Amino acid sequence: MDTLFTNVRILDGSGTLPYSGSVLVQGKRIRQVGRSTAAISPAGATVIDGAGATLMPGMCEAHTHFSWNDAATLAEIQTMPLEEHVLWCAKVARRYLEAGFTSCVGAACAKPRLDVVTRNAIDAGQIPGPRYLAASQEITVPGGLGDETLPHLPFPEFSFGVNVNGAEDMRRVVRMFLKYGVDSIKLNLSGDNFTPQSPAGTTWMTDAEVAVAAEEVKLRGKRIAVHARSADSVKQALRHGVEIIYHASFTDTETLDMLEAAKDRIFVAPGIAILYAMLNEAEPWGITRAKATEMGYQAEWDAALESLSKMHKRGVRILPGGDYGFAFTPHCQNARDLEFFVKYLGFTPMEAIRCTTLYGGQIMMKPGELGVVKDGYLADLLLVDGDPLANLAILREPKRILAVMKDGVFAKPPPIGDAFGRTLAGSDAQRAWGRAA
Ligand SMILES: [Zn+2]
């Protein structure tokens, strides 16, 4: 089924100013983008009159955890039984798609195959969900972020992350995840203030361990993504050719120089929402501002704002997303990152949009065919009620996301009128669809 969007304000995702026009979708792809309908002959296409709504590319969430179950602790996520956990992931995947995230980069899952199984079910059409790149569990070392085993209960099932000890143990675990079919391996290079025994400024893996992971991943054409908050861990990632760096809160001049030198290869997804939430919104879970400050969150927030603003000025690609799926950062508020980029990191709203569209296509390994409204690109599109450039917050209001299309098919269909032009949805009275002659 082909679709013609008419009377839409096209925000194409490339950074170009919006313009009024029409977009024809044939099969999976955008076939024509015009400044008027005159040049488009839509024989047989379903015509969607956008009535001035914004048509933009689907968004990309660059650091996704479908299997985080909106709990306040790592243990509560980890101890969810497998069967419930699979169903949870399927439900969350659908919610992301309907919220306008047509692409998600998996950043780690809570049990070995949750991400792979979810991705495969989406690709097979068993369940609705975004394009998805499946991650491994977090790989860590004893005592590091993600090692939740207790001295008297050393069982891997109790651990959020998979523990490795030494280079050959790393090889064994990386090979296991590659066998399962992951698109990326997740390494916890630094600690995190969430786990006070391994705080954000600490760095945990040896170069020998990271090198073995990089070697195995490269052999199979896959990628490594790292949890790297400390400056040393960011530098370690860059030394080993890592492409996806999560957080990067602490930097020094040397780190920034290395990031800039690698800017055409790397993506940084800071996930600053969780820092903000821990400082300002986590009191219902016992984390007052004083407690969060004591845990190191104020110092990290200040450092992250400075580091990321400098990276942005140096042209490093910074993408929204990160660590939604905790009680303090519930799923599907992810577009909030765009507001944070503008408010705290010095982005313009247009730059923030481009991070989730143009850069989204690039991090999804589909540069040149995903993330822009352009002839020949994949038809992952949103119809948005209002102007995101004037108010980015509308991108996290379900009612304002009027329609979501992935691969040319509506995942969330637009509000429609009946055959006589009368509309079924009250406030959208002027929006209607029909079939072109
Ligand atoms: Zn994460």
Side-chain angles (χ1 to χ4, degrees):
M1 173 91 75
D2 300 340
T3 305
L4 176 66
F5 295 94
T6 62
N7 197 14
V8 286
R9 196 166 159 275
I10 300 167
L11 176 57
D12 74 6
S14 72
T16 303
L17 283 173
Y19 56 92
S20 295
S22 302
V23 174
L24 177 65
V25 172
Q26 285 184 329
K28 288 178 167 204
R29 292 192 185 260
I30 297 164
R31 277 302 163 212
Q32 217 174 335
V33 181
R35 287 183 185 260
S36 75
T37 32
I40 297 180
S41 63
T46 298
V47 179
I48 308 288
D49 180 349
T54 299
L55 187 84
M56 62 176 278
M59 296 184 284
C60 174
E61 150 68 57
H63 177 146
T64 314
H65 300 296
F66 286 155
S67 56
W68 282 201
N69 58 11
D70 287 345
T73 65
L74 300 182
E76 283 173 90
I77 297 172
Q78 184 56 28
T79 52
M80 187 179 221
L82 178 61
E83 296 83 351
E84 281 84 348
H85 224 151
V86 174
L87 293 172
W88 170 269
C89 291
K91 183 178 84 170
V92 172
R94 174 186 204 131
R95 288 181 55 209
Y96 271 75
L97 181 59
E98 290 175 352
F101 289 92
T102 50
S103 290
C104 291
V105 180
C109 53
K111 296 186 175 73
R113 293 177 63 246
L114 281 175
D115 255 22
V116 164
V117 165
T118 306
R119 179 204 61 199
N120 291 351
I122 293 169
D123 288 349
Q126 271 183 300
I127 58 170
R131 295 175 194 282
Y132 194 58
L133 294 177
S136 69
Q137 265 176 290
E138 296 185 355
I139 299 176
T140 188
V141 295
L145 169 68
D147 172 15
E148 295 273 301
T149 53
L150 294 166
H152 65 302
L153 293 170
F155 308 109
E157 292 78 8
F158 284 113
S159 187
F160 190 68
V162 177
N163 270 324
V164 300
N165 226 335
E168 285 313 304
D169 202 26
M170 174 69 87
R171 193 187 305 279
R172 178 184 65 79
V173 169
V174 169
R175 282 179 170 175
M176 176 188 79
F177 282 117
L178 290 168
K179 166 185 162 173
Y180 291 164
V182 299
D183 297 300
S184 70
I185 293 288
K186 174 76 177 291
L187 303 182
N188 286 354
L189 299 187
S190 82
D192 195 292
N193 291 327
F194 202 59
T195 51
Q197 79 285 359
S198 52
T202 56
T203 306
W204 288 77
M205 283 186 185
T206 62
D207 271 330
E209 287 165 334
V210 181
V212 160
E215 180 193 352
E216 289 295 326
V217 163
K218 208 166 284 173
L219 271 176
R220 290 166 182 79
K222 304 298 183 186
R223 293 194 291 193
I224 292 185
V226 296
H227 173 99
R229 295 192 181 274
S230 66
D232 281 346
S233 65
V234 174
K235 284 187 257 194
Q236 186 177 45
L238 291 164
R239 279 201 304 279
H240 292 279
V242 168
E243 288 159 300
I244 301 179
I245 299 175
Y246 291 135
H247 311 307
S249 303
F250 297 98
T251 57
D252 49 26
T253 305
E254 186 192 8
T255 316
L256 291 167
D257 289 345
M258 287 173 74
L259 285 161
E260 186 177 352
K263 70 179 179 185
D264 294 330
R265 174 171 59 83
I266 58 161
F267 301 92
V268 172
I272 55 171
I274 194 147
L275 301 180
Y276 181 89
M278 292 301 274
L279 277 169
N280 300 296
E281 298 169 345
E283 203 166 335
W285 298 275
I287 302 161
T288 59
R289 176 172 260 274
K291 167 96 171 131
T293 301
E294 187 193 316
M295 290 166 83
Y297 279 105
Q298 184 68 51
E300 186 176 1
W301 173 258
D302 295 341
L305 263 43
E306 196 185 330
S307 294
L308 293 161
S309 301
K310 286 179 177 167
M311 276 181 239
H312 176 50
K313 286 201 188 99
R314 286 170 177 247
V316 175
R317 290 174 292 187
I318 301 175
L319 281 76
D323 288 329
Y324 288 87
F326 287 108
F328 2 87
T329 49
H331 283 299
C332 295
Q333 286 294 302
N334 310 51
R336 196 182 188 195
D337 274 36
L338 302 177
E339 296 158 62
F340 286 153
F341 280 18
V342 172
K343 198 165 176 192
Y344 299 114
L345 304 183
F347 285 61
T348 65
M350 183 69 98
E351 286 172 337
I353 295 276
R354 193 176 54 185
C355 294
T356 196
T357 53
L358 178 73
Y359 295 169
Q362 295 168 357
I363 199 173
M364 289 300 291
M365 307 172 91
K366 292 187 183 299
E369 65 165 345
L370 184 65
V372 181
V373 181
K374 193 174 172 185
D375 295 4
Y377 274 55
L378 289 161
D380 286 13
L381 299 167
L382 309 182
L383 198 57
V384 181
D385 181 15
D387 179 7
L389 293 174
N391 180 11
L392 287 164
I394 64 177
L395 292 174
R396 57 188 173 101
E397 276 182 50
K399 269 198 224 151
R400 307 295 286 273
I401 307 293
L402 299 170
V404 180
M405 175 178 268
K406 181 189 139 197
D407 263 340
V409 176
F410 281 115
K412 177 178 180 178
I416 55 170
D418 67 13
F420 305 101
R422 294 174 305 196
T423 51
L424 306 173
S427 65
D428 301 297
Q430 69 277 47
R431 286 192 191 92
W433 65 287
R435 187 169 293 272

